[in-house]
Amino acid sequence: MTKSGATAPQTKYLEETYDDTVVKQFLMATIVWGTVAFLLGLVAALQLANWRMNFNLEWLTFGRLRPLHTNAAIFAFAGNAIFAGIYHSSQRLLKTRMFSDFLSKVHFWGWQLIILSAAITLPLGYTAGKEYAELEWPIDIAIAVVWVVFAVNFFGTIARRREKHLYVAIWFYISTIITVAVLHIVNSIEIPVAFMKSYPVWAGIQDAMVQWWYGHNAVAFFLTTPFLGLMYYYIPKAVNRPVYSYQLSIVHFWALIFLYIWAGPHHLLNSAMPDWAQTLGMVFSLMLWAPSWGGMINGLLTLRGVWGLLRTEPIVKFLVIAVTFYGMSTFEGPLMSIKSINGLAHYTDWIIAHVHGGALGWNGMLAFGLIYFLVPRLWNTPLYSKRLAEVHFWFALFGILIYYISMWAAGLTQGFMWRALSPEGRLVYPDFVETVTRIVPLYWVRAVGGATFLTGAIIMIYNVAKTIGQAKEAEPERIAAAPMASGAGDKGHRKLEGLGAIFAVLAFVAIAVGSIIELVPILSLHKHLDPQVSVAPASSLELAGRDIYVREGCYVCHSQMIRKLPADVVRFGKASTLEESMYDHPFQWGSKRTGPDLARVGGKYPDLWHYRHMLNPRDLVPMSIMPSYPWLLTKKTDFVRLRKKASVLKFLGVPYSDEEVASADVNAEADAKVIADVLRGAGINDAQLEQKEIVALIAYLQSLGKKTGTMGAAMSDTPGDGAAATTETPVDASTGTVGTEGGAK
Amino acid sequence: MFSMFREALKSYEHIDPAIFALLLFVVVFAGIIIRVFRKSERKHHEYMANLPLDGRDSE
């Protein structure tokens, strides 16, 4: 009899053993890559606190480092942690060894190779320019292949299981494997133009919808569902109590996976996205409160009667605080999805606080609990020091709290400053840079939080190393299995729990419903476009500049989406429209404004201003925290590949004529000469200026907001159509300097 | 009270998808909850809840 009174079949130990080698490997990778991710995060935090931390090195600039940090945290740290937990718990729940040791090895080494490729390519500027999906097409293919290997191994293990019914943790793993595959494949459909360069087939609003359907559900199905599976296995194990309510876990699972997939549009609220999609995204986000908190309650109440373990067991501390952070994050997320609250929170550091509450608090703490649980068991030795694990816990907790509170305060401060309007309707803080400098002290506090969290992780490494060091050769654990039930007479969900393949199909249907209803109408882009608006595609030089913009990760700090909010319109100009980005492969709406929105920056400053600004932003905006980009003044524009690029974009629907494609490089060089001559006239001495990347980038920046017009009329040449008058500042055309300090920068 | 509610909803365009979503939520999940919390499945649920505890390291 078990403690709850249920009758369990008599188990016996089989000669076959579990494959724990792969679990150990993934566990070690979690620790190594986790430390790398935290370190990168700390450097990125210091770069925002002090721009000098970019060291004027292109591969270390914030725009390239931040994607590396997020990819390392999500796919390297959290990814390896979930694989370790899945391989360990699945074998025990299914009472069988993994389907194939070979596939386990391919999965492990393949995944590490992918991480290594990301660590090399992202700093070099090879990026697809889509958040959390930055990796270029060869790596995307590798991810798909390795994921399929993982799926075959996992479903093969389910097929050879010795336990008829699948435990709730397995359901969460199934939904993870299926959904991540669907998300990754759909979001990564792209046409290569070179070995490490491609354009997504989606553009503008299509790309925005697909990207945030992917981005949000990467959080849902890579950082939430697998961790919930781990929660449902490791909390009962750690406290030796069955899960509080198995019934609740059924409702939790189906409600969560069905609802989560709809919530992506809440990343695009108040934007040019159709209102019906915004409303749908908001309402489904609010509904997520119910299953998320149901899951949190189920996890926490598993400790009923044994809460005392919280005082004595560091593992329980880590797991319980993780679930608590899950509850806080899943309360805050839907709250921020309410359109009016989102108007304040979006683009600010409040989002960064929210993300790190989830990533460090939920994923990080649960991963640490998993490590402390598994290392002593896998190496068959007691933990070297419980005391050090306690110390790690408090370092990690205070690190997160310092981080979270500082970014929350920074987000609210900046959000309120952005929207502050005088009774006359003018901006109270017209200089964007003023809203940035005000929160720089909080960036320092954030760095302290990150350093504290990292210190805790280093303590863990020492503790784990000493634990493994003291271990003796351990016998592999033999499989404990009971005679498998027949499942005859099962009905309803109980029957479904015994049918792995049908379960997987239904999980797929659950995530497909929301995806189809939301995505299919958006993919019919023409229905949402105003036929009276004409849009000119980027010239070939602007296209070259745009690729540089993407390479440098400008979208990490600058949005190109003026929301339909008064403060946005007064500050940056007329609200962005769907038409303006309809040829953008990929879209560059962005999700954070460390710098100002650039949707209508074209024509706002002379070319010389941009030249000097990219060389050293502080020459023009003394308090700017933007890195300098001196290499743009020496690197040469890749004109040769422009024909291929234009040809691919034409194939994707951008209305280039055959002549424009055939002479893309020639046209670009001619346009570059015009800009270079202007700069030379202003005193820039560089005989080969037209060849330099800075010229292409200036061409692109000057085109922003200037590409649309009414059918039959000239393209707009007044950025913001006058709506940005309150932020207009006099510019000295001869020097490129702005009349008032900072201007709208 | 009802008029206040209607007034509040006016600030959102396309309220129909929200109503559709809420109805879908209620119908689907009320159904799931009714099926899941049937008494006849209690023993099975207890067996499943104890599954992670069945093994060498929990002994």
Side-chain angles (χ1 to χ4, degrees):
Chain A
M1 288 281 276
T2 61
K3 284 191 177 179
S4 69
T7 311
Q10 191 63 46
T11 57
K12 62 174 184 172
Y13 295 105
L14 307 177
E15 286 310 309
E16 202 179 332
T17 57
Y18 295 122
D19 175 16
D20 283 337
T21 307
V22 69
V23 182
K24 287 179 181 177
Q25 288 173 324
F26 274 121
L27 217 51
M28 289 300 103
T30 305
I31 295 170
V32 171
W33 290 121
T35 313
V36 171
F38 306 150
L39 187 62
L40 288 168
L42 179 58
V43 175
L46 289 169
Q47 288 178 333
L48 289 175
N50 189 328
W51 59 271
R52 292 174 189 84
M53 292 299 289
N54 289 280
F55 299 109
N56 280 0
L57 296 170
E58 58 175 302
W59 50 270
L60 200 62
T61 320
F62 183 78
R64 299 192 189 187
L65 202 70
R66 192 261 195 178
L68 183 61
H69 161 61
T70 53
N71 276 272
I74 298 170
F75 301 109
F77 170 58
N80 279 304
I82 62 177
F83 295 140
I86 288 174
Y87 274 96
H88 178 262
S89 60
S90 299
Q91 294 183 83
R92 281 146 182 92
L93 286 169
L94 300 170
K95 297 189 167 59
T96 185
R97 194 180 174 88
M98 288 307 294
F99 172 65
S100 161
D101 288 5
F102 173 72
L103 290 182
S104 300
K105 283 192 182 78
V106 172
H107 179 197
F108 175 75
W109 290 110
W111 196 255
Q112 308 318 309
L113 214 59
I114 287 164
I115 295 168
L116 207 59
S117 317
I120 294 167
T121 58
L122 290 174
L124 290 176
Y126 296 113
T127 171
K130 293 171 61 146
E131 283 184 72
Y132 321 125
E134 287 91 350
L135 301 177
E136 264 299 352
W137 67 271
I139 310 175
D140 280 341
I141 292 173
I143 292 170
V145 170
V146 171
W147 200 261
V148 168
V149 166
F150 173 41
V152 170
N153 204 11
F154 182 80
F155 286 107
T157 311
I158 289 180
R160 60 180 281 186
R161 70 189 185 277
R162 292 199 184 92
E163 177 63 55
K164 178 69 186 171
H165 296 98
L166 305 175
Y167 180 66
V168 53
I170 303 290
W171 315 343
F172 278 104
Y173 303 156
I174 288 173
S175 71
T176 298
I177 292 171
I178 290 172
T179 315
V180 169
V182 173
L183 294 169
H184 173 67
I185 291 168
V186 175
N187 192 45
S188 303
I189 305 176
E190 52 216 359
I191 309 285
V193 288
F195 174 55
M196 287 300 285
K197 178 70 190 165
S198 63
Y199 292 124
V201 295
W202 318 114
I205 176 65
Q206 294 174 329
D207 199 30
M209 275 295 286
V210 172
Q211 161 62 24
W212 284 114
W213 166 78
Y214 161 88
H216 178 75
N217 289 301
V219 173
F221 289 89
F222 203 88
L223 297 177
T224 303
T225 52
F227 280 90
L228 286 169
L230 301 181
M231 176 193 88
Y232 274 116
Y233 181 76
Y234 289 102
I235 288 188
K237 292 292 279 186
V239 302
N240 204 23
R241 305 276 294 175
V243 63
Y244 170 64
S245 166
Y246 196 74
Q247 292 98 318
L248 185 55
S249 75
I250 299 173
V251 181
H252 176 207
F253 172 76
W254 288 108
L256 194 86
I257 67 161
F258 180 78
L259 293 177
Y260 234 130
I261 205 85
W262 295 74
H266 72 215
H267 290 258
L268 301 166
L269 294 180
N270 300 301
S271 74
M273 184 174 65
D275 281 320
W276 66 264
Q278 296 190 32
T279 304
L280 214 51
M282 182 187 82
V283 173
F284 273 98
S285 303
L286 289 171
M287 288 179 195
L288 270 172
W289 262 328
S292 300
W293 272 52
M296 177 197 68
I297 288 165
N298 216 2
L300 289 181
L301 290 187
T302 300
L303 273 86
R304 66 202 180 283
V306 288
W307 282 103
L309 289 172
L310 258 182
R311 281 199 306 273
T312 55
E313 291 301 319
I315 295 170
V316 177
K317 274 194 175 80
F318 277 110
L319 296 178
V320 165
I321 204 74
V323 179
T324 309
F325 268 104
Y326 173 66
M328 281 160 45
S329 293
T330 54
F331 178 80
E332 191 182 37
L335 183 79
M336 295 164 100
S337 301
I338 297 170
K339 228 171 161 181
S340 44
I341 295 176
N342 188 274
L344 171 67
H346 196 52
Y347 292 133
T348 75
D349 284 301
W350 185 0
I351 305 293
I352 312 301
H354 171 65
V355 166
H356 284 79
L360 301 180
W362 163 232
N363 303 127
M365 292 301 223
L366 204 129
F368 297 145
L370 180 77
I371 290 166
Y372 285 119
F373 180 89
L374 286 180
V375 167
R377 283 164 177 80
L378 293 176
W379 275 271
N380 202 23
T381 181
L383 187 67
Y384 170 70
S385 168
K386 251 189 178 184
R387 181 94 187 134
L388 281 179
E390 291 271 353
V391 173
H392 174 201
F393 172 80
W394 290 110
F395 266 89
L397 180 59
F398 278 108
I400 298 168
L401 290 178
I402 294 167
Y403 189 113
Y404 180 84
I405 293 167
S406 61
M407 284 303 92
W408 189 73
L412 283 180
T413 303
Q414 200 174 29
F416 280 120
M417 287 177 84
W418 286 348
R419 59 167 47 197
L421 295 172
S422 69
E424 297 79 34
R426 287 177 169 268
L427 294 168
V428 176
Y429 304 99
D431 288 354
F432 190 92
V433 74
E434 188 184 355
T435 71
V436 179
T437 52
R438 190 68 67 89
I439 59 173
V440 166
L442 291 166
Y443 283 168
W444 282 109
V445 178
R446 180 247 300 266
V448 170
T452 310
F453 190 84
L454 176 63
T455 307
I458 292 168
I459 292 170
M460 178 188 72
I461 293 172
Y462 175 76
N463 205 359
V464 167
K466 294 294 274 184
T467 305
I468 294 174
Q470 74 190 8
K472 295 188 179 94
E473 189 73 24
E475 252 184 59
E477 188 181 341
R478 283 180 299 150
I479 294 170
M484 194 156 119
S486 69
D490 284 356
K491 283 191 290 189
H493 200 272
R494 179 175 176 175
K495 184 167 187 171
L496 190 60
E497 288 165 24
L499 303 169
I502 308 266
F503 196 100
V505 169
L506 284 181
F508 172 75
V509 170
I511 62 119
V513 171
S515 305
I516 291 167
I517 292 178
E518 274 188 355
L519 289 181
V520 168
I522 296 288
L523 297 184
S524 324
L525 183 65
H526 59 279
K527 289 181 187 164
H528 301 282
L529 298 177
D530 182 349
Q532 292 304 309
V533 175
S534 64
V535 183
S539 73
S540 48
L541 184 64
E542 291 158 9
L543 176 61
R546 189 171 197 280
D547 285 342
I548 295 164
Y549 183 95
V550 170
R551 182 191 73 196
E552 298 303 336
C554 303
Y555 64 92
V556 167
C557 291
H558 295 278
S559 59
Q560 284 188 30
M561 172 48 63
I562 303 171
R563 294 171 296 172
K564 301 169 191 165
L565 299 172
D568 255 34
V569 172
V570 173
R571 185 178 295 278
F572 299 117
K574 194 178 75 172
S576 296
T577 64
L578 288 183
E579 292 78 15
E580 286 170 311
S581 55
M582 63 189 283
Y583 299 134
D584 283 0
H585 298 263
F587 82 115
Q588 292 288 284
W589 293 5
S591 66
K592 176 74 173 69
R593 282 181 187 157
T594 305
D597 187 277
L598 299 180
R600 304 204 184 284
V601 79
K604 193 161 194 162
Y605 309 104
D607 295 347
L608 182 61
W609 188 94
H610 287 294
Y611 182 93
R612 293 185 60 193
H613 187 248
M614 296 309 293
L615 181 59
N616 182 9
R618 280 145 297 278
D619 281 352
L620 298 157
V621 188
M623 300 304 286
S624 173
I625 63 169
M626 183 171 138
S628 302
Y629 291 82
W631 56 91
L632 297 179
L633 278 61
T634 53
K635 291 181 91 165
K636 290 189 173 175
T637 304
D638 183 2
F639 291 110
V640 178
R641 203 165 282 156
L642 280 173
R643 268 189 264 182
K644 179 77 183 292
K645 287 179 177 177
S647 151
V648 167
L649 288 172
K650 184 173 188 238
F651 171 76
L652 292 174
V654 180
Y656 289 129
S657 66
D658 290 341
E659 193 276 330
E660 282 172 320
V661 171
S663 56
D665 50 344
V666 180
N667 291 346
E669 286 182 275
D671 290 348
K673 191 168 182 324
V674 174
I675 294 175
D677 285 344
V678 169
L679 290 171
R680 281 196 199 96
I684 303 298
N685 292 316
D686 182 344
Q688 293 185 311
L689 191 55
E690 51 269 52
Q691 301 287 323
K692 304 296 166 57
E693 287 189 338
I694 184 72
V695 171
L697 184 63
I698 289 172
Y700 173 62
L701 291 172
Q702 296 289 32
S703 76
L704 291 174
K706 311 266 282 181
K707 289 291 180 182
T708 57
T710 309
M711 287 299 256
M715 296 298 169
S716 162
D717 59 356
T718 49
D721 291 345
T726 51
T727 60
E728 285 297 332
T729 45
V731 176
D732 183 336
S734 60
T735 62
T737 51
V738 181
T740 56
E741 187 180 297
K745 186 67 205 153
Chain B
M1 173 94 177
F2 188 65
S3 62
M4 272 174 66
F5 182 63
R6 275 174 51 173
E7 198 58 37
L9 288 181
K10 274 185 190 168
S11 61
Y12 290 98
E13 290 178 54
H14 295 281
I15 201 66
D16 35 327
I19 292 166
F20 157 75
L22 281 166
L23 283 175
L24 192 68
F25 177 75
V26 170
V27 170
V28 171
F29 293 104
I32 290 179
I33 289 165
I34 289 165
R35 283 194 73 82
V36 164
F37 283 85
R38 285 180 307 177
K39 270 188 180 170
S40 58
E41 295 295 312
R42 227 173 91 185
K43 262 193 170 178
H44 169 68
H45 291 145
E46 283 182 7
Y47 169 77
M48 291 303 289
N50 279 282
L51 210 55
L53 307 180
D54 181 25
R56 190 176 75 173
D57 54 353
S58 64
E59 287 179 337

